[in-house]
Amino acid sequence: MKDLINLYTAPAKFFRSLDTIQKWSYLIPVVMFYGMVLTMERIDKVYFRAVMRESGQTTLPDQGWLYWGQYVGESWFYYWAMVFIFGGIVGGVIVWWVGGWWYKLRLKWSGIQDPDPKSARTLYVYSSLVYNLPKVLSVIVISLLFSTYIEASSGVPTYIHTLLSVFLFWSLQASYQGIVEVYSPQSLLKVKIWFVFLPASLYVLSIGLGL
């Protein structure tokens, strides 16, 4: 628990225990959380597009909401089944291999020579946990307060989304501090560009456009 607090309050200190936190017994649930969050956000986006299409505000396809969304949208059981199976298991594998590969590639572009693949992936998934853990916990609470996902989508206070956005941006700082602690890069500017400035710009653009 203390290590988890360090991830939020002192990321550099947290990543000093790299040998411990990259044990598979710790990594597997962290990777699954990441995959689950990706699926949650995918459901959000597809539902939002379906609502916009129904109201005539867009002509973009609803990406299958009419076929599978009725189950997920009206039953938390189906929602969590999709999130856990497709997100936690399938999505987790994609996160670890594809997302980890992209993270390692950015490390190389930042001037870090031959970063260890597992260490790079460990930094990637743990820094993302700064956002993913609050996201999953918030949806658990929401599923207890609202009878269906559709009901929750219009009933969750705006400040919840704002608070989660804070964790999203703080995860970039955690990633940056972890990289500096583990790899001691020669160019901090390159690290900031690839792991703070560019991702933050994409987040702002995505939030602004509702993507």
Side-chain angles (χ1 to χ4, degrees), residues 3-201:
D3 287 339
L4 190 59
I5 293 174
N6 285 336
L7 177 61
Y8 287 86
T9 60
K13 184 178 180 180
F14 174 83
F15 285 110
R16 287 173 198 160
S17 305
L18 188 65
D19 290 339
T20 300
I21 63 175
Q22 66 179 357
K23 292 179 180 179
W24 284 112
S25 56
Y26 296 116
L27 276 174
I28 289 176
V30 174
V31 173
M32 290 184 68
F33 262 48
Y34 202 151
M36 290 168 66
V37 168
L38 289 181
T39 302
M40 288 175 175
E41 295 187 337
R42 182 63 179 171
I43 292 172
D44 291 343
K45 291 175 183 177
V46 173
Y47 175 69
F48 176 74
R49 181 173 291 185
V51 171
M52 295 286 285
R53 180 179 175 84
E54 185 176 342
S55 64
Q57 299 181 56
T58 182
T59 57
L60 294 173
D62 61 20
Q63 299 177 307
W65 179 264
L66 293 177
Y67 299 100
W68 56 266
Q70 58 181 322
Y71 301 103
V72 173
E74 297 178 5
S75 169
W76 284 116
F77 173 80
Y78 286 114
Y79 176 91
W80 283 109
M82 174 173 279
V83 166
F84 183 78
I85 296 173
F86 289 99
I89 299 176
V90 179
V93 172
I94 295 173
V95 161
W96 180 254
W97 290 107
V98 179
W101 166 82
W102 173 239
Y103 194 90
K104 181 185 175 184
L105 188 60
R106 286 185 290 151
L107 287 174
K108 289 184 177 180
W109 291 341
S110 299
I112 299 169
Q113 300 298 320
D114 299 321
D116 176 67
K118 188 175 182 181
S119 297
R121 289 182 168 94
T122 299
L123 278 168
Y124 171 55
V125 297
Y126 272 105
S127 59
S128 299
L129 186 66
V130 170
Y131 168 72
N132 293 336
L133 181 58
K135 173 68 176 181
V136 172
L137 293 177
S138 69
V139 177
I140 290 175
V141 173
I142 288 169
S143 66
L144 296 175
L145 297 177
F146 296 91
S147 59
T148 66
Y149 168 83
I150 293 177
E151 180 184 329
S153 65
S154 59
V156 176
T158 304
Y159 69 82
I160 297 296
H161 301 292
T162 303
L163 181 60
L164 288 173
S165 296
V166 172
F167 285 110
L168 180 63
F169 286 99
W170 183 245
S171 70
L172 300 179
Q173 178 64 17
S175 178
Y176 171 75
Q177 290 191 31
I179 292 169
V180 173
E181 178 65 32
V182 173
Y183 296 109
S184 301
Q186 293 183 351
S187 175
L188 295 180
L189 178 59
K190 288 183 179 180
V191 176
K192 289 179 180 179
I193 289 173
W194 283 108
F195 291 91
V196 180
F197 299 148
L198 289 179
S201 298

